[in-house]
Amino acid sequence: MSIFYLLVFPGFLFLSALGLFMEYFDRKVYARMQNRVGPPWYQPLADIIKLVSKETIIPYDTNKKMFAALPVIALAAATTAIFYIPIWSSHALFSFTGDIIVVLYLLTIPTLTFFLAGWNSNSLFAGIGAVRNLTQLFSYEVPLYMGLLAPAFLASSWSLSEISQFYTTHPLLILLNIPAFIVCIIAVQGKLERVPFDIPDAETEIVAGSFTEYSGRYFAIFRMALDTELVVAATLLAAVFIPVFVANPFISFLIYLAKVFVIIFILAIFRSVMARIRMEQMVKFCWRYLAPLALAQIIINILIKGVLPL
Amino acid sequence: MSLDQKIINWARRKSPWIVHFNAGACNGCDIEVIDALTPRFDLERFGIMQKGTPRHGDILVVTGAVTMQTRDRLIRTYEQMPEPKFVVAIGACACTGGVFDGCYCVCGGVNEIIPVDAYIPGCAARPEAIIDAVVKLLSTIK
């Protein structure tokens, strides 16, 4: 049964299919916002198949095993994180106290592999992209953690399943967490390296960032990892901030798909209305506005916890 | 032809990523290439995307007559692209050398340096011609 969970549902196959479809949805919304037709629905799948069937070049002076292993590690980490997040009911497949931290760390691993991939590529562009990856990690990671821990403080639990159950029984308290939701949406945009935070792979400055030397199937796996991370991050936000579950698991699953669509739609709108900012602007923005906002949310939640009899 | 080869050919037809290389053009053809990528023509309908690095590219789009300065860079860019790869020469200068043919610093058209799959004449080539040529090139993948 664990193999089924891992490989088929809600693991690798389901996440890949949903991730590819969400990439299409994201690109389509982006295209419609620019008043053009946009790609057909099979476009991400065609991209992946084409990349897999192309020649794979490994640069001469890299560590070849590491070069090949990094994309797989990124994909595996992003896929594993889904098991601790509630999807079709307020109970996740596996849960224990503190799994919210595990999920956040699992979602950090792809960024670290992007850094290592760029650093290992021995290319100037990839090296600059790798350093920017890490700098960006230090700016969005703290607001994201604080923003996701604020609802956990209110629910007095660090397990995602228990947080979802708490908010299912106290639905009005969801409204309290709206500032944290905004912080998390912006931070996730930085985590997924999308406009306005696509500084690590700014194609007009440093060609493709960390992925400059990646080609063929390794690049395809990296793209799959990014798509999977997009879906998992949207699932995480949906589970913590929009915990709407009904008793019927099938209808609950449809509600889950709708929630993911809404969150990715917000992310796509962000991507299409903004332009890229500079690195120091991003660090300044994250530490000067996002982190204090998340901190204020935590303080408010602690105070309300003292006032309300929960 | 086996089924997997059919699927691979379908994917290659549907997802051509281009790399743009200016080998010494007057910028006229470059602007037409950028034109073809803008929302007005919307090449993403066909899955065409511009990539910065030759490692991700399928089609090398070369504009301009090849000068002695860019000759080595053109060869290096071409060799960095993974197989299968295609080259499209855009504009009269890229096809034959154009008015610059025989100049002391010009090596000639692109086909004297690297193999070319499609030629698009014109000074400068129109975006419609570029799109037509790319679609015709893709239909040869069978």
Side-chain angles (χ1 to χ4, degrees):
Chain A
M1 208 56 197
S2 304
I3 297 289
F4 178 78
Y5 288 151
L6 200 60
L7 290 182
V8 183
F9 186 85
F12 178 68
L13 269 183
F14 167 71
L15 275 183
S16 311
L18 191 60
L20 289 179
F21 188 76
M22 285 305 165
E23 189 196 331
Y24 154 73
F25 179 65
D26 175 52
R27 279 166 70 174
K28 186 83 180 175
V29 171
Y30 188 61
R32 291 308 300 157
M33 288 289 284
Q34 292 176 344
N35 203 9
R36 55 194 174 90
V37 178
W41 64 270
Y42 50 74
Q43 190 56 57
L45 183 66
D47 287 348
I48 292 287
I49 294 175
K50 180 207 72 179
L51 281 172
V52 168
S53 66
K54 266 180 93 83
E55 181 193 5
T56 304
I57 299 171
I58 299 183
Y60 172 69
D61 47 0
T62 55
N63 185 336
K64 291 180 177 52
K65 278 180 190 153
M66 192 162 144
F67 195 87
L70 283 171
V72 182
I73 293 173
L75 182 59
T79 309
T80 315
I82 195 85
F83 298 118
Y84 298 100
I85 307 175
I87 298 177
W88 56 84
S89 76
S90 54
H91 294 271
L93 275 180
F94 304 100
S95 87
F96 56 90
T97 310
D99 57 11
I100 188 168
I101 301 294
V102 173
V103 168
L104 283 170
Y105 271 103
L106 282 173
L107 284 179
T108 308
I109 288 176
T111 314
L112 290 177
T113 60
F114 300 161
F115 159 71
L116 284 173
W119 172 73
N120 188 27
S121 293
N122 266 329
S123 149
L124 271 181
F125 295 119
I128 295 172
V131 173
R132 287 185 184 192
N133 254 319
L134 271 199
T135 319
Q136 185 158 318
L137 178 80
F138 286 119
S139 54
Y140 67 72
E141 202 76 349
V142 172
L144 180 66
Y145 276 41
M146 292 204 295
L148 275 169
L149 290 184
F153 275 118
L154 198 54
S156 38
S157 165
W158 278 21
S159 151
L160 281 166
S161 303
E162 286 174 25
I163 294 172
S164 293
Q165 284 155 31
F166 175 82
Y167 284 104
T168 318
T169 48
H170 304 86
L172 275 182
L173 288 177
I174 297 169
L175 298 176
L176 259 182
N177 293 322
I178 288 177
F181 182 55
I182 296 168
V183 168
C184 285
I185 284 273
I186 298 173
V188 159
Q189 193 83 335
K191 189 182 217 27
L192 298 167
E193 291 167 16
R194 292 145 59 86
V195 184
F197 303 131
D198 65 333
I199 311 159
D201 48 12
E203 72 273 6
T204 43
E205 306 163 20
I206 47 169
V207 293
S210 304
F211 305 141
T212 303
E213 294 294 330
Y214 270 83
S215 60
R217 69 178 71 101
Y218 298 136
F219 184 54
I221 301 175
F222 261 136
R223 279 179 73 92
M224 290 295 291
L226 268 172
D227 289 348
T228 309
E229 206 189 351
L230 173 70
V231 171
V232 173
T235 311
L236 179 63
L237 292 190
V240 174
F241 292 103
I242 326 173
V244 183
F245 301 103
V246 292
N248 187 335
F250 183 69
I251 297 173
S252 212
F253 181 70
L254 291 183
I255 293 176
Y256 155 74
L257 286 183
K259 288 189 288 190
V260 171
F261 264 105
V262 167
I263 287 174
I264 289 175
F265 184 71
I266 296 173
L267 291 175
I269 296 285
F270 258 113
R271 185 162 89 101
S272 41
V273 298
M274 288 189 193
R276 187 188 314 128
I277 56 177
R278 288 197 308 272
M279 196 75 234
E280 104 274 5
Q281 284 172 327
M282 172 176 182
V283 176
K284 211 179 268 178
F285 172 75
C286 284
W287 282 100
R288 198 175 274 174
Y289 302 106
L290 281 192
L293 192 59
L295 199 60
Q297 175 79 59
I298 289 183
I299 293 170
I300 289 170
N301 280 9
I302 290 174
L303 289 179
I304 283 181
K305 201 174 158 48
V307 175
L308 289 179
L310 294 175
Chain B
M1 198 191 303
S2 58
L3 182 67
D4 55 339
Q5 193 59 43
K6 269 183 190 162
I7 294 174
I8 287 171
N9 283 346
W10 168 81
R12 279 179 187 155
R13 273 199 305 274
K14 294 298 175 189
S15 163
W17 290 353
I18 65 169
V19 177
H20 178 203
F21 186 89
N22 181 343
C26 66
N27 260 337
C29 293
D30 300 312
I31 288 178
E32 299 304 326
V33 170
I34 302 301
D35 263 1
L37 292 164
T38 50
R40 174 154 178 96
F41 293 99
D42 187 23
L43 279 188
E44 209 183 355
R45 284 178 295 159
F46 308 119
I48 300 176
M49 290 214 288
Q50 196 189 12
K51 290 285 162 182
T53 160
R55 297 270 193 231
H56 301 174
D58 305 301
I59 299 179
L60 182 64
V61 168
V62 188
T63 53
V66 182
T67 63
M68 287 160 94
Q69 284 279 332
T70 54
R71 189 179 163 275
D72 295 344
R73 279 84 181 169
L74 177 62
I75 293 171
R76 199 192 293 171
T77 307
Y78 178 72
E79 283 173 350
Q80 278 179 345
M81 289 171 65
E83 291 282 351
K85 53 194 170 187
F86 303 96
V87 178
V88 178
I90 291 184
C93 306
C95 293
T96 61
V99 289
F100 302 106
D101 197 23
C103 187
Y104 70 97
C105 61
V106 168
C107 304
V110 178
N111 56 4
E112 287 175 28
I113 314 295
I114 52 174
V116 176
D117 297 281
Y119 299 89
I120 307 171
C123 183
R126 293 181 65 87
E128 291 92 337
I130 297 172
I131 296 168
D132 189 42
V134 171
V135 169
K136 273 182 183 152
L137 175 66
L138 291 174
S139 66
T140 61
I141 306 175
K142 286 208 181 83

